[in-house]
Amino acid sequence: MSKVRVHNLAVSLDGFATGEGQTLEAPFGHAGTRLMEWFFETRAFRSMIGRDGGSEGADNAYASAWAPGIGAEIMGRNKFGPQRGAWQDEEWKGWWGDNPPFHTPVFVLTHHPRPSLTMDGGTTFHFLDATPAEALARARDAAGGLDVRIGGGPTTVRQFLDADLVDHLHVVLVPILLGRGVRLWDGLESLEDRFTVEPVTTPSGVTHLTFARR
Amino acid sequence: MSKVRVHNLAVSLDGFATGEGQTLEAPFGHAGTRLMEWFFETRAFRSMIGRDGGSEGADNAYASAWAPGIGAEIMGRNKFGPQRGAWQDEEWKGWWGDNPPFHTPVFVLTHHPRPSLTMDGGTTFHFLDATPAEALARARDAAGGLDVRIGGGPTTVRQFLDADLVDHLHVVLVPILLGRGVRLWDGLESLEDRFTVEPVTTPSGVTHLTFARR
């Protein structure tokens, strides 16, 4: 059976995986880039945006696990864009330009479905009003036997964890206090009972936590 | 100037430093002993309770830093005991028996002062209705030039951090989700701006975070 995986989900010490006040200019709200700086330094990220160089150590090893073996992604509406409620128009095609880094079908969870968007490079955005289990069934069909990635944001990941649909969770603990935003861990008491948890601190100062289903 | 230090303060991944429902039998409420298991294994803890053996690695190195150089402790009422409100009697002398492990003056913050308690081994409990800054002034006087430890619980540590009175904070991140209890980090947005933070994961699976004032 294909696995359901979460990768590179950064959280602050106080448990926020994104800040308050998302806008077009600030996808992570007041958190700015602080949760993702460890990632921007990696060779994996730089190659994703067509640049050379980058770190090749442990952070890069974790970051690189994001793509291999993935056949589809599921993401929340707020990862796709800053709009809320009904779409004003259908001009918005995500933050990632004409050739998004996914290169697979991507299922965007929203209460406001719209026609699918075929992008360059193999990414197609489909818009679904569905429960986590329903969305996962659709994504598994589309993934052709490969794994399905839950791409975030934190609310979406939390819903899939709550429904016990996640096999592999990679969280990156960044030693900052955001104070406000969207919490990842709420309502997940004793999550560790279902997983083997391995924490590893890297020289950049973050701590990678890998939760693997027992 | 003597320093103000916090040691061995364990928090869950979701930020709770103690559980819900503290009682005489359960000082950490529903968290049980889960936040402190890394500590109970150390030689430092075992020697504190008069037992031999214990681990001698990184966890023990951190745990051992608790006592040296400390001349007084400040603790919250809820670290001293499970009672709330006015004292029903003065029989309760803390969780630690006749010879508590502090061996210094200990200032217990409470809105219900009572006479000081002189215990065996150099520990004296004083009961103060005071602000963090006032309590620190009293503890510094009593510490004879040595450092002052803020002993917890989380509410007390948070108040001292909020008042910017802490120089050294050692937090132990335990990879469990308590779901409920008393949060350490609330209201401390951007705390990291005032500190250099060093995280280290140890083989027991916890991550030690040392915050040193910049």
Side-chain angles (χ1 to χ4, degrees):
Chain A
M1 181 83 147
S2 75
K3 294 203 169 183
V4 178
R5 296 157 39 189
V6 177
H7 290 272
N8 301 337
L9 181 61
V11 297
S12 64
L13 260 186
D14 47 352
F16 297 102
T18 190
E20 205 173 69
Q22 187 190 48
T23 64
L24 187 57
E25 295 73 30
F28 287 81
H30 86 287
T33 58
R34 287 179 288 163
L35 286 171
M36 297 311 285
E37 274 161 21
W38 69 273
F39 183 59
F40 295 156
E41 298 301 317
T42 61
R43 174 175 283 265
F45 173 75
R46 294 177 65 90
S47 112
M48 196 181 286
I49 58 168
R51 297 178 69 177
D52 291 335
S55 68
E56 298 179 39
D59 287 341
N60 187 57
Y62 282 100
S64 301
W66 178 83
I70 293 290
E73 165 156 330
I74 297 170
M75 66 170 65
R77 163 83 181 269
N78 298 353
K79 176 172 171 181
F80 182 71
Q83 306 87 356
R84 301 292 185 269
W87 302 98
Q88 296 305 301
D89 57 55
E90 291 173 4
E91 291 302 300
W92 179 259
K93 297 178 177 179
W95 310 93
W96 305 277
D98 292 336
N99 185 358
F102 308 106
H103 312 301
T104 67
V106 174
F107 296 87
V108 181
L109 296 173
T110 168
H111 296 305
H112 303 277
R114 48 181 266 194
S116 296
L117 276 174
T118 301
M119 311 295 290
D120 295 343
T123 299
T124 305
F125 292 109
H126 302 287
F127 300 85
L128 283 187
D129 186 3
T131 66
E134 291 163 356
L136 180 55
R138 282 287 302 275
R140 277 213 156 104
D141 277 349
L146 296 177
D147 291 349
V148 174
R149 184 175 52 230
I150 311 301
T155 304
T156 300
V157 171
R158 190 172 62 225
Q159 286 165 348
F160 278 80
L161 288 168
D162 192 46
D164 197 16
L165 294 173
V166 174
D167 300 302
H168 176 100
L169 169 66
H170 167 226
V171 168
V172 186
L173 193 80
V174 181
I176 61 175
L177 295 179
L178 288 178
R180 53 210 160 93
V182 181
R183 288 188 196 272
L184 174 62
W185 301 120
D186 279 10
L188 296 175
E189 180 175 341
S190 298
L191 180 71
E192 69 279 5
D193 291 348
R194 299 192 252 133
F195 293 90
T196 300
V197 188
E198 187 193 84
V200 173
T201 302
T202 60
S204 68
V206 302
T207 300
H208 297 268
L209 289 144
T210 306
F211 290 69
R213 185 188 285 278
R214 286 182 199 275
Chain B
M1 181 82 145
S2 76
K3 293 202 169 183
V4 178
R5 296 158 39 190
V6 177
H7 290 273
N8 301 337
L9 179 62
V11 296
S12 64
L13 260 187
D14 48 352
F16 297 103
T18 189
E20 205 173 70
Q22 186 189 50
T23 64
L24 188 57
E25 294 73 29
F28 287 82
H30 85 288
T33 58
R34 289 179 288 163
L35 287 171
M36 298 310 285
E37 275 162 20
W38 69 274
F39 182 60
F40 295 155
E41 298 301 317
T42 61
R43 174 176 282 266
F45 173 74
R46 293 177 66 89
S47 112
M48 198 181 286
I49 58 168
R51 297 178 66 178
D52 290 335
S55 68
E56 299 181 37
D59 287 342
N60 187 57
Y62 282 101
S64 300
W66 178 85
I70 294 290
E73 166 157 327
I74 297 170
M75 67 169 64
R77 161 81 181 269
N78 297 353
K79 175 170 172 182
F80 182 71
Q83 307 86 356
R84 303 291 186 267
W87 303 98
Q88 297 304 306
D89 58 54
E90 291 173 3
E91 290 303 299
W92 178 260
K93 296 179 176 181
W95 311 91
W96 303 278
D98 293 336
N99 186 356
F102 307 105
H103 312 300
T104 66
V106 173
F107 295 86
V108 180
L109 296 173
T110 170
H111 297 305
H112 303 277
R114 49 182 267 195
S116 296
L117 277 175
T118 301
M119 310 296 289
D120 295 344
T123 300
T124 305
F125 292 110
H126 302 286
F127 300 85
L128 284 186
D129 186 3
T131 67
E134 290 164 356
L136 180 56
R138 281 287 302 276
R140 276 211 156 106
D141 277 350
L146 295 177
D147 291 348
V148 174
R149 185 175 52 233
I150 311 301
T155 305
T156 301
V157 172
R158 191 170 64 225
Q159 286 165 348
F160 279 80
L161 287 169
D162 192 48
D164 197 16
L165 294 173
V166 175
D167 300 304
H168 176 100
L169 168 66
H170 167 227
V171 169
V172 186
L173 194 78
V174 180
I176 62 174
L177 295 179
L178 288 177
R180 51 211 161 92
V182 182
R183 290 188 195 272
L184 173 62
W185 300 120
D186 278 10
L188 297 175
E189 180 175 340
S190 297
L191 180 70
E192 70 277 6
D193 290 348
R194 298 192 252 134
F195 293 89
T196 299
V197 187
E198 188 193 83
V200 173
T201 303
T202 60
S204 68
V206 301
T207 300
H208 298 267
L209 289 143
T210 307
F211 291 68
R213 185 188 284 279
R214 287 182 198 274

